[in-house]
Amino acid sequence: MTTAAATDAPKSSSVETPKSPDRLAITDHRTGLSYELPITNGTIRAMDLRQIKVAPDDFGLMSYDPAFLNTASCRSRVTFIDGEKGILRYRGYPIEQLAENCTYLEVAYLLLYGELPNKRQFQDWEHSITFHTMIHESLKKFMDGFNYDAHPMGMLIATVAAMSTFYPDAHNIQDAVSRTKQTYRLIAKMPTLAAFAYRHSMGMPYVYPDNSLSYTENFLNMLFKMPSETYKPNPAIAKALDVLFILHADHEQNCGTHVMRGIGSSHPDPYSAVAGAAAALYGPLHGGANEEVLKMLSEIGTKDRVPAFIKEVKEGKGEKRLMGFGHRVYKNYDPRARIIKKIADEVFEVTGRNPLLDIALELERIALQDDYFVKRKLYPNVDFYSGLIYQAIGMPTAAFTVLFAIPRTSGWIAQWQEMLLDPEQKIARPRQVYVGPEERNFVPIEKR
Ligand code: ACO
């Protein structure tokens, strides 16, 4: 609990070093009063600032933090990132170890339940996911209604939102049994929706889920099987996709997850919240960057045009960006990009080398030596190489962000549940600093 209190400190401009290391001393020079605020986990509570007033009827001090550059909105046990050191851990496990040793479904279980499953738990979990992959025929008809050239991400967002109308039991968000059921449905059906969106855009008939296949094999089968031919997903491609799913499963309080928690805080069903989170992911500054990277590499076209492109980015002063570079949190190499670079080699052994890879490698080489990028600590992020792999396995560029949304669903649900069960959380509602006109009187239209 808060123990901060105003003290009748001398009206001086210097603040004495606090005796306790876990307290922050503040002197308000407007009043000369001093305060001590407790520091917990390297944070002060913003609400503790409200006692700092210039008069009894003053609202109290607030912090101003557009885009949440320095504001923690929750305590979380799910994902840890050290952006300076380039560390990413899910529930304490380094991402490198999970990518090396686990399947995506094991990692999804870990994110949701906090521990890796034992054999029995995993069998039950895998069975529950496998037996929820079918979608309602009316949902299929709903997808048929989209135009032939509808963006697959737009289709996915709208169809996940529509799922809310198919499962009215999902509104019982306080019921753990209902939450578990919706978790199975969401994780199981996202690949089906994604594959159907892709097939719709290609004008091809939908392929129904096949319960004899693994999560990623089934997804590849729904994407690429021709009705007239047998199809066997390539194990190396299925494995690579599975690792990509692990790398994309969660990333603490990023834009999409923040939206998931924000929408979830007003207590709608999880389908509505996932639709909102997916909409945030769609943006080119977030998950949509993988699509933009491929467009950028194609526009550059040849390796020798890389220096000119870098020059344009630098001269654009933020207007033109090197897509797939930079991150709000990572100020070092994104550990996921390092793993993806390795997977790319494995995939290209099967599919043949993506010719855009040479341009990407040259871009990375030049950017990492250039003062502009070095000074701003801009390194390749998860999206810089993922698109090259998706393209090599036959996905059209427009479907890339959908491939991000599938695994991120497990992270969204883990974070949503954590938010719902956290007694400190309430409906999310930031404050503002109003800078508009003062009160003024209405003027009739003929006098304006
Ligand atoms: N290319 C060129 N310059 C850049 C880039 C970039 N990719 N990213 C940041 N900068 C520059 C900015 O212009 C700014 O320069 P300034 O200090 O001279 O004004 C500085 O670096 C800091 O950038 P901000 O925009 O303040 O950093 P922020 O943390 O807000 O942005 C973001 C992070 C959105 C990821 C940004 O780096 C970006 O737009 N990258 C390209 C898009 C991208 O790859 N997004 C995917 C991120 S990973 C994910 O969401 C899955």
Side-chain angles (χ1 to χ4, degrees), residues 46-47 50 59-66 68 428-434:
M47 274 305 286
R50 285 275 282 279
F59 183 76
L61 202 65
M62 289 194 294
S63 61
Y64 175 60
D65 189 11
F68 306 110
R429 204 317 186 172
R431 292 280 175 179
Q432 66 165 11
V433 178
Y434 178 72

Side-chain angles (χ1 to χ4, degrees), residues 37-80:
L37 310 187
I39 300 173
T40 314
N41 299 125
T43 59
I44 57 161
R45 281 184 179 263
M47 274 305 286
D48 283 350
L49 297 173
R50 285 275 282 279
Q51 63 186 305
I52 303 178
K53 301 179 177 199
V54 285
D57 62 349
D58 178 13
F59 183 76
L61 202 65
M62 289 194 294
S63 61
Y64 175 60
D65 189 11
F68 306 110
L69 290 171
N70 196 37
T71 295
S73 61
C74 61
R75 296 170 193 269
S76 181
R77 294 185 156 77
V78 183
T79 292
F80 171 80

Side-chain angles (χ1 to χ4, degrees), residues 284-287 289 313 317-318 320-328 331 336 372-373 376 378 381-383 404:
L285 296 187
H286 193 10
V313 168
K317 297 193 171 62
K320 186 172 187 127
R321 296 206 157 189
L322 175 47
M323 298 312 283
F325 253 70
H327 199 275
R328 170 61 60 77
K331 301 301 168 200
R336 301 168 299 173
Y372 175 95
F373 296 92
R376 290 170 178 78
L378 300 171
N381 60 49
V382 70
D383 284 326
F404 193 150

Side-chain angles (χ1 to χ4, degrees), residues 177-357:
V177 177
S178 167
R179 284 201 305 270
T180 301
K181 185 92 177 169
Q182 314 320 321
T183 301
Y184 295 153
R185 286 174 173 153
L186 272 161
I187 292 177
K189 293 182 204 303
M190 284 298 265
T192 314
L193 298 184
F196 281 23
Y198 166 72
R199 302 283 291 204
H200 180 79
S201 69
M202 302 298 283
M204 296 203 293
Y206 304 128
V207 175
Y208 284 78
D210 179 342
N211 286 0
S212 70
L213 298 173
S214 74
Y215 190 77
T216 38
E217 284 173 340
N218 174 49
F219 179 50
L220 287 169
N221 194 56
M222 290 190 291
L223 285 172
F224 298 128
K225 187 184 178 328
M226 288 295 156
S228 45
E229 285 172 35
T230 51
Y231 172 80
K232 194 169 163 15
N234 182 298
I237 302 284
K239 171 72 189 145
L241 196 56
D242 204 60
V243 176
L244 283 169
F245 281 2
I246 291 173
L247 302 182
H248 286 90
D250 194 53
H251 213 231
E252 53 119 303
Q253 307 312 312
N254 57 82
C255 180
T257 303
H258 169 70
V259 170
M260 180 79 196
R261 282 179 173 257
I263 296 178
S265 77
S266 76
H267 293 182
D269 64 89
Y271 303 100
S272 303
V274 166
L281 189 73
Y282 193 4
L285 296 187
H286 193 10
N290 53 16
E291 185 178 340
E292 297 302 317
V293 170
L294 261 278
K295 285 188 201 156
M296 175 188 76
L297 295 175
S298 304
E299 261 169 48
I300 296 172
T302 51
K303 233 169 98 170
D304 57 303
R305 292 173 63 185
V306 167
F309 180 81
I310 296 260
K311 192 162 169 264
E312 271 179 53
V313 168
K314 284 159 57 179
E315 285 169 359
K317 297 193 171 62
E319 290 297 310
K320 186 172 187 127
R321 296 206 157 189
L322 175 47
M323 298 312 283
F325 253 70
H327 199 275
R328 170 61 60 77
V329 180
Y330 291 122
K331 301 301 168 200
N332 199 326
Y333 214 97
D334 180 338
R336 301 168 299 173
R338 213 185 292 280
I339 301 170
I340 287 183
K341 232 173 140 179
K342 253 178 60 197
I343 306 171
D345 292 335
E346 288 159 23
V347 169
F348 297 157
E349 265 184 39
V350 178
T351 62
R353 194 176 162 85
N354 188 328
L356 296 178
L357 178 66

